[in-house]
Amino acid sequence: DFGDGNTSTQANPTHFYTSPGIYTVTFIATNANGCSDTLIRNDLIPFQFPNASFNLGNTSICVGENLVINNTSTGASSYIWNFGDGTTQTGNNPIHTYTATGNYTMTLIASNAIGCQDTFVLPQSIAVQSSPVAAFTVDDQSGCQTPFVANFSAQTTNTVNWFWDFGDGNSANVANPSHVYMTDGFFDVRLIAESASGCRDTAFQPNFIQILPPIAAIIPDTTEGCVP
């Protein structure tokens, strides 16, 4: 009795299991006089398929953005991930970024300890969008008095929205803003460029604007001596 509803009367049978499970096998041997003995082997056949499955935090991402993977597989001990861009990885939850735009089909092969495998293909393709490139310049970077006017120019590509932080608590959301600094000091400037698909890139320049008034000082070469 093979434990799956099938039996055999052969001395050395071959049996094919068709469904996953853990099976208890019972063997009854009978001699010519009708005497019998029974041997029961509990959980003799550990026949289990892994189940490969996963989902993504987002199927529309930007070039260079980390792909958020949630591995929901069961009964598996090893994994091979194919990201559809010619690269593969192993491990439970790999980290992957796409370096080119396009639509990619992602596949997971999950294996258990006895070599059984299951393959899962993500039903929807991954749409990788192009990212903008953020950069900026200014007509005058330093001054010695306030108010100080700085005219910024965005040097961006693939951009529909601009988010400026001038470092003094003020901001703007146009491509080429003009900003007036009212206090002395060193100011960090940050520009975030956003594409039509929502992808972003950041340009940051520390101490980019420097406004320092002159400081007058008299330093004699000596403070005492004989006349003349």
Side-chain angles (χ1 to χ4, degrees):
D1 182 344
F2 300 109
D4 62 349
N6 293 286
T7 60
S8 172
T9 57
Q10 299 177 13
N12 302 298
T14 297
H15 179 63
F16 294 95
Y17 288 89
T18 59
S19 299
I22 299 177
Y23 298 98
T24 295
V25 178
T26 302
F27 175 45
I28 303 172
T30 305
N31 65 14
N33 297 319
C35 299
S36 63
D37 186 36
T38 300
L39 174 64
I40 299 175
R41 294 287 298 273
N42 293 310
D43 301 337
L44 179 64
I45 308 297
F47 180 42
Q48 291 180 304
F49 276 123
N51 179 35
S53 65
F54 67 92
N55 56 62
L56 302 179
N58 196 345
T59 56
S60 179
I61 62 172
C62 308
V63 169
E65 179 183 353
N66 285 343
L67 189 66
V68 179
I69 302 171
N70 179 30
N71 187 354
T72 56
S73 302
T74 57
S77 57
S78 62
Y79 307 92
I80 299 175
W81 302 84
N82 189 322
F83 298 100
D85 60 350
T87 64
T88 60
Q89 287 189 44
T90 59
N92 189 21
N93 286 295
I95 297 175
H96 183 69
T97 59
Y98 289 94
T99 58
T101 60
N103 294 311
Y104 300 93
T105 299
M106 189 171 167
T107 304
L108 169 63
I109 300 174
S111 304
N112 63 12
I114 60 176
C116 298
Q117 292 185 341
D118 187 36
T119 300
F120 176 77
V121 180
L122 193 68
Q124 65 271 40
S125 61
I126 302 170
V128 181
Q129 312 289 338
S130 61
S131 295
V133 176
F136 61 85
T137 59
V138 69
D139 63 338
D140 195 0
Q141 193 173 345
S142 60
C144 58
Q145 62 181 4
T146 57
F148 177 77
V149 180
N151 297 302
F152 293 92
S153 177
Q155 308 294 309
T156 57
T157 59
N158 190 31
T159 304
V160 296
N161 292 312
W162 298 265
F163 305 97
W164 293 87
D165 182 348
F166 300 115
D168 63 348
N170 292 286
S171 60
N173 56 8
V174 295
N176 303 305
S178 180
H179 180 62
V180 180
Y181 288 89
M182 301 303 296
T183 57
D184 303 335
F186 293 82
F187 301 96
D188 303 337
V189 178
R190 185 189 311 272
L191 169 63
I192 300 175
E194 184 179 67
S195 69
S197 59
C199 298
R200 290 187 171 190
D201 186 39
T202 300
F204 176 73
Q205 293 284 356
N207 299 325
F208 188 65
I209 299 297
Q210 303 178 8
I211 307 171
L212 293 176
I215 299 175
I218 298 175
I219 303 176
D221 60 349
T222 183
T223 57
E224 61 182 347
C226 303
V227 293

